[in-house]
Amino acid sequence: MNQSLKEWKFPAMLLTGLGLSSLGDFIYLVAINLLVLKMTGSAAAVAALWVVGPITSIFVNGWSGSIIDRSNKKKIMIITDIVRAVAVAIIPLLPSIWMIYALLFVISVAKSFFNPTSTTYITALIPKEKRKTFNSIRSLVSSGAFITGPAIAGVLLIVGSLEIAIYSNAISFVISAILIAFLPNIDSNQNDITEKLQLKNLLEDWQVVIRFGKEALFVMTIYSSFVIFDIFTMAMDSQEVVFTQRVIGLTEVEYSLLMSVTGIGYAAGGLLVIFISRFLSIRALIGTGLFMLAAGYFIYSLSTSFTMAATGFIILGFFFAFSNTGFTTFYQNNVPVEIMGRVTSIVSVLQSAVSVVFLLFIGIMGDLLPLRYTIVTLSIISVVLAVFVIILVSQPTKKVYFSEEKAG
């Protein structure tokens, strides 16, 4: 028992740090939207907040992976947490909306480094046989942040102000940085990265990722399928408010309640997967999770009432933890840790570029065609893609890619 607790000491600290950071992000998400709306009174100005992240990813992630793979992962995580804490704390003091956008760009740059770095650090820190359990717990932590973050933001806005809510996010980043500072250093050496910023080295890194993609075609096919699936679901989510209120006919109160039951679905699924993940294979988690996630969106796309929409949302929320745990574990087990930063970052560049174009396309199609047709079409494609992934992961010859045995 004591040995087990000792083994989970550092993973627990990492989970706590990541969880606090996620919690702060959701508090900040509510507060910054309200702050920009209060300053400008413009819905377009608020919508622009959602474009900053993908645009930053396009400009930054093409070279950030080169730095991540050659640098001290722990230091990058600490520095980016501190940068985000300072930047977030400054936001309420800024008099101009353009200055806020500039600072949001800085925050997005830091996040573009933190996310792939944390993925690589987790892979190196957590032994292969414990990754599925760790990822299932992390899904629950993320689900908890999804539910409690906006709720805490609401309480802070009632008893305090927008500024207090934003400062709470800054504090969460500081605590996260402190916890990460006590984690072990996974890098055996620290190289000078100055020369790695040269164009020649960046091109070489892209070639490394392309070469890996060709050699590990099955792995990248599964990875690409999940990325495409995410783009489709993001497109549906972007039209969520319009679809639920104008097509289904829900009131604002019913929409808020719909978000609440979805959060409960996320939490319930995240809690269950912790206990049953040890009994389910990575294949089962991926196949069941992705198909039921697509089924939830399909039910939602056909909804004509609150009950039907809630049913779809509960299903997709519940099974999100299954697909996320299975895919994350599969990715960590099959992408070499020494190039994981580059693979994650470069693929995210392509994902962001496609997302921006696709979101604009869906927005235009929503004006030209009935929105119901657009959402139903996307949900059907998602179901077909889920079936395609199930067929891929079920191949007996691909069993080695889903091994959970201890490395070595």
Side-chain angles (χ1 to χ4, degrees), residues 126-146:
I126 309 300
K128 185 176 183 179
E129 68 276 9
K130 290 184 171 62
R131 287 174 189 162
K132 192 167 65 175
T133 301
F134 179 92
N135 290 326
S136 65
I137 297 174
R138 191 181 181 191
S139 290
L140 176 62
V141 170
S142 298
S143 300
F146 174 82

Side-chain angles (χ1 to χ4, degrees), residues 311-322:
T311 300
F313 271 41
I314 290 174
I315 291 173
L316 70 89
F318 187 85
F319 285 97
F320 172 80
F322 285 72

